Amino acid sequence: MSDMLRDAVVTETETQTGEHHEDHRPSGLMRWVLTTNHKDIGSLYLMFSCAMFFLGGGMAMVIRAELFQPGLQLVEPNFFNQMTTVHGLIMVFGAVMPAFTGLANWMIPVMIGAPDMALPRMNNWSFWILPFAFALLVSSLFMEGGGPNFGWTFYAPLSTTYSPASTGLFVFAIHIMGISSIMGAINVVVTIMNMRAPTMTYMKMPLFVWTWLITAFLLIAVMPVLAGAVTMVLTDKYFGTSFFDAAGGGDPVMFQHIFWFFGHPEVYIMILPSFGIISAIIPAFSRKRLFGYSSMVYATISIAGLSFLVWAHHMFTTGMPIAAELFFMYCTMLISVPTGVKVFNWVATMWRGSLTFEVPMLFAIAFIVLFTIGGFSGLMLAITPADFQYHDTYFVVAHFHYVLVSGAIFSIMAAVYYWLPKWTGHMFDERLGQWHFWCSLISVNLLFFPMHFLGLAGMPRRIPDYALQFADVNAIVSIGGFAFGLSQLLFLAVVIKCVHQGEPAPKKPWEGAEGLEWTLPSPAPYHTFSTPPKVD
């Protein structure tokens, strides 16, 4: 009788904490193909994102190798254009967005006390259509006429009248990526709204959960707009319509309006989850509560709302009426206010905190500094008369890479370092991580900062050859690019080493960390929170 009672108590304890001895973890290849477990699907997204990051990075290396010296060195101009196009598409849709989706899948349920995502079968499907989409996109490079060569923004008529025969594959790949994003976003919204622990109110949710909830609504709103744009490109290219063909009564500028109505919220889709990550890491290593939690929530909602009102700042040179130019200029400047609130709150959180500088904190601080540089250059681009000088130059390339590389990608790396002990049960190699950080920090600035001066001197973007006056700076930029690419091999080494070996990670490896995920053992059990936890 006593043995039965003891077993019942042990079983009940395991059920509440998620600590099962067998942990019901399936094995073999089919585990990954058929899995509906949010942790497995999160891991799949992160591994896929890493593979795409290195593939897109390889294409960037082709671009920088060609631009190392003036003159045509290594590749034909048409192939150079294919590299710039597919590099952008892979990095945006294949590296950054799936990485954030992977972090959402892994962390949102354990942060809100849910046993899993709300729609687990759709979750599996939303991942497994992604490799198929990118296989379509990359395969187009090997077909007659080559792959897409019209830039990642695929402006008409370049993508309709003058595009290669493989454009249909590009369109279908974009459709599938969009379907995946919409399904993932619906899953996030339903999970957060319906599966939070009963005592977790909206204003008790971690900032990462808040930023992803808002990001999910942005995705649901704008991915259908992208689908409409690529469908019109498809019918113009293959079925004789004239949406964007002036000869048939269409308007190529209309394409830009439709694309950027998607494209600018897309920029915030790729940065809002970063704000949530940084808002988790900065308090943990400052040993302080986040300064101004509610203002951070309202600032995030404001950014999302304003993101729908600024799209035409990409189009100042298309001949808009002066009233429209003023409207979009002021709206763009206005969006810097809630963004500035966030930066102020992060700095105020660190102020007089008990700071330590482990690798996640280093990446978080670098994010704040470098993302702010990207924000300031964005404000420069927002000034209409100045934008006429900057437009379509390397200044724009420098701006959005400061936002998306030293912004989004640095925050993803910070998140991986921060939660890796929870995922693997091992502490990562701190020394190797520090090497990765400092090599990345120095090389990323060597890569992108000189591009500002190339742009101010008048060097256009997306060109395989350039005037001799730009040669020295381009050589420096290419050296920085190769150094940054090689630095990421250190990141891969840290992660692989941590998965297989390392000191056992405690339940809460970072002293100042807060949240439900730190109440779980390390590594986090396969099934967690079968009984909803209580949130103070």
Side-chain angles (χ1 to χ4, degrees), residues 372-405:
T372 302
I373 292 172
F376 278 130
S377 62
L379 276 175
M380 294 169 71
L381 288 161
I383 301 167
T384 307
D387 183 73
F388 277 73
Q389 171 70 22
Y390 305 137
H391 189 76
D392 264 345
T393 69
Y394 260 80
F395 190 90
V396 179
V397 180
H399 157 68
F400 70 70
H401 280 89
Y402 260 89
V403 173
L404 291 181
V405 178

PDB file of all heavy atoms in Angstrom, residues 372-405:
ATOM      1  N   THR A 372      20.735  51.373 -32.942  1.00  0.00           N
ATOM      2  CA  THR A 372      20.518  52.824 -32.850  1.00  0.00           C
ATOM      3  C   THR A 372      21.196  53.543 -34.012  1.00  0.00           C
ATOM      4  O   THR A 372      20.640  54.496 -34.576  1.00  0.00           O
ATOM      5  CB  THR A 372      21.025  53.357 -31.495  1.00  0.00           C
ATOM      6  OG1 THR A 372      20.350  52.665 -30.439  1.00  0.00           O
ATOM      7  CG2 THR A 372      20.770  54.844 -31.363  1.00  0.00           C
ATOM      8  N   ILE A 373      22.394  53.087 -34.393  1.00  0.00           N
ATOM      9  CA  ILE A 373      23.060  53.664 -35.573  1.00  0.00           C
ATOM     10  C   ILE A 373      22.183  53.454 -36.810  1.00  0.00           C
ATOM     11  O   ILE A 373      21.971  54.373 -37.615  1.00  0.00           O
ATOM     12  CB  ILE A 373      24.456  53.032 -35.776  1.00  0.00           C
ATOM     13  CG1 ILE A 373      25.405  53.453 -34.649  1.00  0.00           C
ATOM     14  CG2 ILE A 373      25.043  53.422 -37.139  1.00  0.00           C
ATOM     15  CD1 ILE A 373      26.743  52.727 -34.659  1.00  0.00           C
ATOM     16  N   GLY A 374      21.645  52.231 -36.964  1.00  0.00           N
ATOM     17  CA  GLY A 374      20.744  51.959 -38.077  1.00  0.00           C
ATOM     18  C   GLY A 374      19.495  52.819 -38.032  1.00  0.00           C
ATOM     19  O   GLY A 374      18.989  53.268 -39.073  1.00  0.00           O
ATOM     20  N   GLY A 375      18.999  53.084 -36.827  1.00  0.00           N
ATOM     21  CA  GLY A 375      17.823  53.946 -36.686  1.00  0.00           C
ATOM     22  C   GLY A 375      18.112  55.377 -37.087  1.00  0.00           C
ATOM     23  O   GLY A 375      17.295  56.032 -37.758  1.00  0.00           O
ATOM     24  N   PHE A 376      19.286  55.896 -36.702  1.00  0.00           N
ATOM     25  CA  PHE A 376      19.636  57.270 -37.070  1.00  0.00           C
ATOM     26  C   PHE A 376      19.797  57.421 -38.583  1.00  0.00           C
ATOM     27  O   PHE A 376      19.360  58.407 -39.175  1.00  0.00           O
ATOM     28  CB  PHE A 376      20.923  57.709 -36.362  1.00  0.00           C
ATOM     29  CG  PHE A 376      20.690  58.177 -34.951  1.00  0.00           C
ATOM     30  CD1 PHE A 376      21.452  57.684 -33.903  1.00  0.00           C
ATOM     31  CD2 PHE A 376      19.708  59.118 -34.669  1.00  0.00           C
ATOM     32  CE1 PHE A 376      21.228  58.106 -32.596  1.00  0.00           C
ATOM     33  CE2 PHE A 376      19.490  59.557 -33.366  1.00  0.00           C
ATOM     34  CZ  PHE A 376      20.248  59.048 -32.330  1.00  0.00           C
ATOM     35  N   SER A 377      20.436  56.413 -39.226  1.00  0.00           N
ATOM     36  CA  SER A 377      20.564  56.506 -40.688  1.00  0.00           C
ATOM     37  C   SER A 377      19.191  56.392 -41.346  1.00  0.00           C
ATOM     38  O   SER A 377      18.952  56.978 -42.411  1.00  0.00           O
ATOM     39  CB  SER A 377      21.522  55.442 -41.227  1.00  0.00           C
ATOM     40  OG  SER A 377      21.055  54.143 -40.954  1.00  0.00           O
ATOM     41  N   GLY A 378      18.261  55.669 -40.710  1.00  0.00           N
ATOM     42  CA  GLY A 378      16.886  55.619 -41.204  1.00  0.00           C
ATOM     43  C   GLY A 378      16.209  56.970 -41.132  1.00  0.00           C
ATOM     44  O   GLY A 378      15.454  57.361 -42.035  1.00  0.00           O
ATOM     45  N   LEU A 379      16.471  57.717 -40.056  1.00  0.00           N
ATOM     46  CA  LEU A 379      15.925  59.076 -39.944  1.00  0.00           C
ATOM     47  C   LEU A 379      16.498  59.984 -41.027  1.00  0.00           C
ATOM     48  O   LEU A 379      15.797  60.850 -41.566  1.00  0.00           O
ATOM     49  CB  LEU A 379      16.231  59.660 -38.561  1.00  0.00           C
ATOM     50  CG  LEU A 379      15.266  59.294 -37.441  1.00  0.00           C
ATOM     51  CD1 LEU A 379      15.764  59.845 -36.113  1.00  0.00           C
ATOM     52  CD2 LEU A 379      13.870  59.856 -37.738  1.00  0.00           C
ATOM     53  N   MET A 380      17.763  59.785 -41.369  1.00  0.00           N
ATOM     54  CA  MET A 380      18.358  60.563 -42.464  1.00  0.00           C
ATOM     55  C   MET A 380      17.640  60.264 -43.778  1.00  0.00           C
ATOM     56  O   MET A 380      17.331  61.174 -44.561  1.00  0.00           O
ATOM     57  CB  MET A 380      19.843  60.249 -42.585  1.00  0.00           C
ATOM     58  CG  MET A 380      20.681  60.695 -41.404  1.00  0.00           C
ATOM     59  SD  MET A 380      22.355  60.033 -41.430  1.00  0.00           S
ATOM     60  CE  MET A 380      23.077  60.939 -42.786  1.00  0.00           C
ATOM     61  N   LEU A 381      17.340  58.976 -44.002  1.00  0.00           N
ATOM     62  CA  LEU A 381      16.635  58.590 -45.225  1.00  0.00           C
ATOM     63  C   LEU A 381      15.195  59.099 -45.242  1.00  0.00           C
ATOM     64  O   LEU A 381      14.585  59.245 -46.304  1.00  0.00           O
ATOM     65  CB  LEU A 381      16.629  57.056 -45.368  1.00  0.00           C
ATOM     66  CG  LEU A 381      17.978  56.419 -45.731  1.00  0.00           C
ATOM     67  CD1 LEU A 381      17.971  54.945 -45.397  1.00  0.00           C
ATOM     68  CD2 LEU A 381      18.274  56.626 -47.210  1.00  0.00           C
ATOM     69  N   ALA A 382      14.634  59.375 -44.047  1.00  0.00           N
ATOM     70  CA  ALA A 382      13.250  59.841 -43.964  1.00  0.00           C
ATOM     71  C   ALA A 382      13.087  61.285 -44.429  1.00  0.00           C
ATOM     72  O   ALA A 382      11.984  61.707 -44.763  1.00  0.00           O
ATOM     73  CB  ALA A 382      12.745  59.716 -42.529  1.00  0.00           C
ATOM     74  N   ILE A 383      14.172  62.039 -44.455  1.00  0.00           N
ATOM     75  CA  ILE A 383      14.094  63.453 -44.846  1.00  0.00           C
ATOM     76  C   ILE A 383      14.029  63.521 -46.382  1.00  0.00           C
ATOM     77  O   ILE A 383      15.002  63.193 -47.060  1.00  0.00           O
ATOM     78  CB  ILE A 383      15.302  64.238 -44.307  1.00  0.00           C
ATOM     79  CG1 ILE A 383      15.352  64.133 -42.778  1.00  0.00           C
ATOM     80  CG2 ILE A 383      15.250  65.691 -44.749  1.00  0.00           C
ATOM     81  CD1 ILE A 383      16.658  64.589 -42.177  1.00  0.00           C
ATOM     82  N   THR A 384      12.887  63.930 -46.915  1.00  0.00           N
ATOM     83  CA  THR A 384      12.628  63.791 -48.345  1.00  0.00           C
ATOM     84  C   THR A 384      13.717  64.388 -49.236  1.00  0.00           C
ATOM     85  O   THR A 384      14.226  63.692 -50.121  1.00  0.00           O
ATOM     86  CB  THR A 384      11.253  64.405 -48.701  1.00  0.00           C
ATOM     87  OG1 THR A 384      10.269  63.819 -47.841  1.00  0.00           O
ATOM     88  CG2 THR A 384      10.893  64.141 -50.145  1.00  0.00           C
ATOM     89  N   PRO A 385      14.098  65.653 -49.062  1.00  0.00           N
ATOM     90  CA  PRO A 385      15.115  66.195 -49.985  1.00  0.00           C
ATOM     91  C   PRO A 385      16.455  65.476 -49.866  1.00  0.00           C
ATOM     92  O   PRO A 385      17.158  65.312 -50.870  1.00  0.00           O
ATOM     93  CB  PRO A 385      15.226  67.671 -49.583  1.00  0.00           C
ATOM     94  CG  PRO A 385      14.627  67.758 -48.224  1.00  0.00           C
ATOM     95  CD  PRO A 385      13.613  66.672 -48.127  1.00  0.00           C
ATOM     96  N   ALA A 386      16.810  65.032 -48.642  1.00  0.00           N
ATOM     97  CA  ALA A 386      18.070  64.300 -48.473  1.00  0.00           C
ATOM     98  C   ALA A 386      17.982  62.922 -49.121  1.00  0.00           C
ATOM     99  O   ALA A 386      18.966  62.408 -49.671  1.00  0.00           O
ATOM    100  CB  ALA A 386      18.408  64.164 -46.988  1.00  0.00           C
ATOM    101  N   ASP A 387      16.779  62.324 -49.078  1.00  0.00           N
ATOM    102  CA  ASP A 387      16.619  60.983 -49.635  1.00  0.00           C
ATOM    103  C   ASP A 387      16.902  60.951 -51.136  1.00  0.00           C
ATOM    104  O   ASP A 387      17.333  59.922 -51.668  1.00  0.00           O
ATOM    105  CB  ASP A 387      15.201  60.478 -49.361  1.00  0.00           C
ATOM    106  CG  ASP A 387      14.992  59.051 -49.841  1.00  0.00           C
ATOM    107  OD1 ASP A 387      15.530  58.137 -49.190  1.00  0.00           O
ATOM    108  OD2 ASP A 387      14.320  58.850 -50.874  1.00  0.00           O
ATOM    109  N   PHE A 388      16.669  62.083 -51.830  1.00  0.00           N
ATOM    110  CA  PHE A 388      16.990  62.117 -53.258  1.00  0.00           C
ATOM    111  C   PHE A 388      18.473  61.835 -53.491  1.00  0.00           C
ATOM    112  O   PHE A 388      18.849  61.285 -54.528  1.00  0.00           O
ATOM    113  CB  PHE A 388      16.604  63.492 -53.848  1.00  0.00           C
ATOM    114  CG  PHE A 388      15.149  63.589 -54.215  1.00  0.00           C
ATOM    115  CD1 PHE A 388      14.166  63.680 -53.232  1.00  0.00           C
ATOM    116  CD2 PHE A 388      14.760  63.572 -55.532  1.00  0.00           C
ATOM    117  CE1 PHE A 388      12.825  63.766 -53.567  1.00  0.00           C
ATOM    118  CE2 PHE A 388      13.411  63.655 -55.880  1.00  0.00           C
ATOM    119  CZ  PHE A 388      12.440  63.744 -54.897  1.00  0.00           C
ATOM    120  N   GLN A 389      19.322  62.226 -52.552  1.00  0.00           N
ATOM    121  CA  GLN A 389      20.754  61.952 -52.663  1.00  0.00           C
ATOM    122  C   GLN A 389      21.081  60.509 -52.255  1.00  0.00           C
ATOM    123  O   GLN A 389      21.887  59.840 -52.891  1.00  0.00           O
ATOM    124  CB  GLN A 389      21.532  62.928 -51.770  1.00  0.00           C
ATOM    125  CG  GLN A 389      23.022  62.624 -51.626  1.00  0.00           C
ATOM    126  CD  GLN A 389      23.800  62.888 -52.909  1.00  0.00           C
ATOM    127  OE1 GLN A 389      23.353  63.659 -53.754  1.00  0.00           O
ATOM    128  NE2 GLN A 389      24.954  62.249 -53.062  1.00  0.00           N
ATOM    129  N   TYR A 390      20.430  60.037 -51.195  1.00  0.00           N
ATOM    130  CA  TYR A 390      20.774  58.711 -50.669  1.00  0.00           C
ATOM    131  C   TYR A 390      20.160  57.567 -51.472  1.00  0.00           C
ATOM    132  O   TYR A 390      20.674  56.456 -51.466  1.00  0.00           O
ATOM    133  CB  TYR A 390      20.267  58.554 -49.217  1.00  0.00           C
ATOM    134  CG  TYR A 390      20.714  59.608 -48.244  1.00  0.00           C
ATOM    135  CD1 TYR A 390      19.810  60.153 -47.328  1.00  0.00           C
ATOM    136  CD2 TYR A 390      22.038  60.043 -48.204  1.00  0.00           C
ATOM    137  CE1 TYR A 390      20.209  61.113 -46.411  1.00  0.00           C
ATOM    138  CE2 TYR A 390      22.440  61.002 -47.291  1.00  0.00           C
ATOM    139  CZ  TYR A 390      21.514  61.539 -46.408  1.00  0.00           C
ATOM    140  OH  TYR A 390      21.913  62.477 -45.509  1.00  0.00           O
ATOM    141  N   HIS A 391      19.045  57.822 -52.162  1.00  0.00           N
ATOM    142  CA  HIS A 391      18.223  56.752 -52.734  1.00  0.00           C
ATOM    143  C   HIS A 391      19.030  55.876 -53.698  1.00  0.00           C
ATOM    144  O   HIS A 391      19.759  56.375 -54.546  1.00  0.00           O
ATOM    145  CB  HIS A 391      17.029  57.368 -53.462  1.00  0.00           C
ATOM    146  CG  HIS A 391      16.013  56.360 -53.907  1.00  0.00           C
ATOM    147  ND1 HIS A 391      15.130  55.765 -53.038  1.00  0.00           N
ATOM    148  CD2 HIS A 391      15.746  55.820 -55.124  1.00  0.00           C
ATOM    149  CE1 HIS A 391      14.363  54.924 -53.693  1.00  0.00           C
ATOM    150  NE2 HIS A 391      14.718  54.933 -54.967  1.00  0.00           N
ATOM    151  N   ASP A 392      18.858  54.562 -53.538  1.00  0.00           N
ATOM    152  CA  ASP A 392      19.493  53.568 -54.413  1.00  0.00           C
ATOM    153  C   ASP A 392      21.018  53.644 -54.395  1.00  0.00           C
ATOM    154  O   ASP A 392      21.672  53.278 -55.370  1.00  0.00           O
ATOM    155  CB  ASP A 392      18.981  53.689 -55.859  1.00  0.00           C
ATOM    156  CG  ASP A 392      17.851  52.700 -56.120  1.00  0.00           C
ATOM    157  OD1 ASP A 392      17.667  51.769 -55.315  1.00  0.00           O
ATOM    158  OD2 ASP A 392      17.155  52.854 -57.139  1.00  0.00           O
ATOM    159  N   THR A 393      21.598  54.123 -53.288  1.00  0.00           N
ATOM    160  CA  THR A 393      23.043  54.082 -53.137  1.00  0.00           C
ATOM    161  C   THR A 393      23.406  53.095 -52.029  1.00  0.00           C
ATOM    162  O   THR A 393      22.526  52.535 -51.368  1.00  0.00           O
ATOM    163  CB  THR A 393      23.609  55.461 -52.748  1.00  0.00           C
ATOM    164  OG1 THR A 393      23.195  55.763 -51.398  1.00  0.00           O
ATOM    165  CG2 THR A 393      23.125  56.561 -53.677  1.00  0.00           C
ATOM    166  N   TYR A 394      24.703  52.919 -51.808  1.00  0.00           N
ATOM    167  CA  TYR A 394      25.156  52.018 -50.758  1.00  0.00           C
ATOM    168  C   TYR A 394      24.834  52.532 -49.356  1.00  0.00           C
ATOM    169  O   TYR A 394      24.928  51.785 -48.388  1.00  0.00           O
ATOM    170  CB  TYR A 394      26.664  51.735 -50.909  1.00  0.00           C
ATOM    171  CG  TYR A 394      26.887  50.397 -51.566  1.00  0.00           C
ATOM    172  CD1 TYR A 394      26.777  50.250 -52.942  1.00  0.00           C
ATOM    173  CD2 TYR A 394      27.146  49.264 -50.804  1.00  0.00           C
ATOM    174  CE1 TYR A 394      26.936  49.023 -53.542  1.00  0.00           C
ATOM    175  CE2 TYR A 394      27.307  48.028 -51.387  1.00  0.00           C
ATOM    176  CZ  TYR A 394      27.199  47.914 -52.762  1.00  0.00           C
ATOM    177  OH  TYR A 394      27.347  46.686 -53.346  1.00  0.00           O
ATOM    178  N   PHE A 395      24.410  53.801 -49.254  1.00  0.00           N
ATOM    179  CA  PHE A 395      23.963  54.302 -47.945  1.00  0.00           C
ATOM    180  C   PHE A 395      22.744  53.512 -47.476  1.00  0.00           C
ATOM    181  O   PHE A 395      22.624  53.176 -46.297  1.00  0.00           O
ATOM    182  CB  PHE A 395      23.625  55.801 -48.044  1.00  0.00           C
ATOM    183  CG  PHE A 395      23.381  56.452 -46.716  1.00  0.00           C
ATOM    184  CD1 PHE A 395      24.422  57.021 -45.998  1.00  0.00           C
ATOM    185  CD2 PHE A 395      22.107  56.492 -46.159  1.00  0.00           C
ATOM    186  CE1 PHE A 395      24.208  57.623 -44.755  1.00  0.00           C
ATOM    187  CE2 PHE A 395      21.870  57.085 -44.928  1.00  0.00           C
ATOM    188  CZ  PHE A 395      22.925  57.645 -44.227  1.00  0.00           C
ATOM    189  N   VAL A 396      21.833  53.204 -48.410  1.00  0.00           N
ATOM    190  CA  VAL A 396      20.643  52.428 -48.076  1.00  0.00           C
ATOM    191  C   VAL A 396      21.035  51.002 -47.675  1.00  0.00           C
ATOM    192  O   VAL A 396      20.492  50.435 -46.716  1.00  0.00           O
ATOM    193  CB  VAL A 396      19.660  52.413 -49.267  1.00  0.00           C
ATOM    194  CG1 VAL A 396      18.428  51.578 -48.946  1.00  0.00           C
ATOM    195  CG2 VAL A 396      19.264  53.824 -49.654  1.00  0.00           C
ATOM    196  N   VAL A 397      21.991  50.419 -48.399  1.00  0.00           N
ATOM    197  CA  VAL A 397      22.474  49.070 -48.064  1.00  0.00           C
ATOM    198  C   VAL A 397      23.048  49.059 -46.646  1.00  0.00           C
ATOM    199  O   VAL A 397      22.767  48.160 -45.848  1.00  0.00           O
ATOM    200  CB  VAL A 397      23.538  48.601 -49.079  1.00  0.00           C
ATOM    201  CG1 VAL A 397      24.044  47.203 -48.736  1.00  0.00           C
ATOM    202  CG2 VAL A 397      22.969  48.622 -50.501  1.00  0.00           C
ATOM    203  N   ALA A 398      23.841  50.085 -46.320  1.00  0.00           N
ATOM    204  CA  ALA A 398      24.413  50.178 -44.970  1.00  0.00           C
ATOM    205  C   ALA A 398      23.311  50.294 -43.930  1.00  0.00           C
ATOM    206  O   ALA A 398      23.347  49.616 -42.892  1.00  0.00           O
ATOM    207  CB  ALA A 398      25.347  51.386 -44.896  1.00  0.00           C
ATOM    208  N   HIS A 399      22.308  51.139 -44.203  1.00  0.00           N
ATOM    209  CA  HIS A 399      21.217  51.346 -43.240  1.00  0.00           C
ATOM    210  C   HIS A 399      20.492  50.045 -42.919  1.00  0.00           C
ATOM    211  O   HIS A 399      20.363  49.655 -41.757  1.00  0.00           O
ATOM    212  CB  HIS A 399      20.238  52.384 -43.787  1.00  0.00           C
ATOM    213  CG  HIS A 399      18.871  52.281 -43.194  1.00  0.00           C
ATOM    214  ND1 HIS A 399      18.619  52.587 -41.869  1.00  0.00           N
ATOM    215  CD2 HIS A 399      17.682  51.870 -43.719  1.00  0.00           C
ATOM    216  CE1 HIS A 399      17.327  52.392 -41.612  1.00  0.00           C
ATOM    217  NE2 HIS A 399      16.745  51.939 -42.718  1.00  0.00           N
ATOM    218  N   PHE A 400      20.003  49.336 -43.951  1.00  0.00           N
ATOM    219  CA  PHE A 400      19.165  48.185 -43.604  1.00  0.00           C
ATOM    220  C   PHE A 400      19.980  47.001 -43.123  1.00  0.00           C
ATOM    221  O   PHE A 400      19.459  46.138 -42.410  1.00  0.00           O
ATOM    222  CB  PHE A 400      18.146  47.837 -44.708  1.00  0.00           C
ATOM    223  CG  PHE A 400      18.683  47.252 -45.983  1.00  0.00           C
ATOM    224  CD1 PHE A 400      19.202  45.974 -46.027  1.00  0.00           C
ATOM    225  CD2 PHE A 400      18.585  47.968 -47.169  1.00  0.00           C
ATOM    226  CE1 PHE A 400      19.657  45.425 -47.207  1.00  0.00           C
ATOM    227  CE2 PHE A 400      19.033  47.419 -48.363  1.00  0.00           C
ATOM    228  CZ  PHE A 400      19.577  46.149 -48.389  1.00  0.00           C
ATOM    229  N   HIS A 401      21.277  46.951 -43.435  1.00  0.00           N
ATOM    230  CA  HIS A 401      22.088  45.872 -42.845  1.00  0.00           C
ATOM    231  C   HIS A 401      22.423  46.169 -41.377  1.00  0.00           C
ATOM    232  O   HIS A 401      22.562  45.236 -40.587  1.00  0.00           O
ATOM    233  CB  HIS A 401      23.354  45.638 -43.661  1.00  0.00           C
ATOM    234  CG  HIS A 401      23.107  44.815 -44.894  1.00  0.00           C
ATOM    235  ND1 HIS A 401      22.753  45.366 -46.093  1.00  0.00           N
ATOM    236  CD2 HIS A 401      23.126  43.471 -45.088  1.00  0.00           C
ATOM    237  CE1 HIS A 401      22.581  44.401 -46.990  1.00  0.00           C
ATOM    238  NE2 HIS A 401      22.791  43.250 -46.403  1.00  0.00           N
ATOM    239  N   TYR A 402      22.544  47.438 -41.015  1.00  0.00           N
ATOM    240  CA  TYR A 402      22.715  47.741 -39.586  1.00  0.00           C
ATOM    241  C   TYR A 402      21.473  47.340 -38.800  1.00  0.00           C
ATOM    242  O   TYR A 402      21.557  46.908 -37.650  1.00  0.00           O
ATOM    243  CB  TYR A 402      23.035  49.226 -39.371  1.00  0.00           C
ATOM    244  CG  TYR A 402      24.510  49.466 -39.164  1.00  0.00           C
ATOM    245  CD1 TYR A 402      25.350  49.697 -40.243  1.00  0.00           C
ATOM    246  CD2 TYR A 402      25.067  49.402 -37.891  1.00  0.00           C
ATOM    247  CE1 TYR A 402      26.714  49.876 -40.066  1.00  0.00           C
ATOM    248  CE2 TYR A 402      26.422  49.581 -37.699  1.00  0.00           C
ATOM    249  CZ  TYR A 402      27.247  49.812 -38.790  1.00  0.00           C
ATOM    250  OH  TYR A 402      28.588  49.967 -38.589  1.00  0.00           O
ATOM    251  N   VAL A 403      20.298  47.488 -39.419  1.00  0.00           N
ATOM    252  CA  VAL A 403      19.059  47.100 -38.739  1.00  0.00           C
ATOM    253  C   VAL A 403      18.899  45.581 -38.700  1.00  0.00           C
ATOM    254  O   VAL A 403      18.518  45.009 -37.676  1.00  0.00           O
ATOM    255  CB  VAL A 403      17.850  47.765 -39.428  1.00  0.00           C
ATOM    256  CG1 VAL A 403      16.544  47.237 -38.849  1.00  0.00           C
ATOM    257  CG2 VAL A 403      17.920  49.276 -39.282  1.00  0.00           C
ATOM    258  N   LEU A 404      19.213  44.911 -39.803  1.00  0.00           N
ATOM    259  CA  LEU A 404      18.891  43.486 -39.912  1.00  0.00           C
ATOM    260  C   LEU A 404      20.044  42.553 -39.532  1.00  0.00           C
ATOM    261  O   LEU A 404      19.790  41.417 -39.150  1.00  0.00           O
ATOM    262  CB  LEU A 404      18.414  43.147 -41.330  1.00  0.00           C
ATOM    263  CG  LEU A 404      17.045  43.739 -41.697  1.00  0.00           C
ATOM    264  CD1 LEU A 404      16.640  43.328 -43.091  1.00  0.00           C
ATOM    265  CD2 LEU A 404      15.981  43.314 -40.696  1.00  0.00           C
ATOM    266  N   VAL A 405      21.277  42.989 -39.641  1.00  0.00           N
ATOM    267  CA  VAL A 405      22.391  42.113 -39.232  1.00  0.00           C
ATOM    268  C   VAL A 405      22.772  42.413 -37.789  1.00  0.00           C
ATOM    269  O   VAL A 405      22.618  41.577 -36.899  1.00  0.00           O
ATOM    270  CB  VAL A 405      23.606  42.247 -40.174  1.00  0.00           C
ATOM    271  CG1 VAL A 405      24.756  41.357 -39.696  1.00  0.00           C
ATOM    272  CG2 VAL A 405      23.213  41.848 -41.599  1.00  0.00           C
TER     273      VAL A 405
END
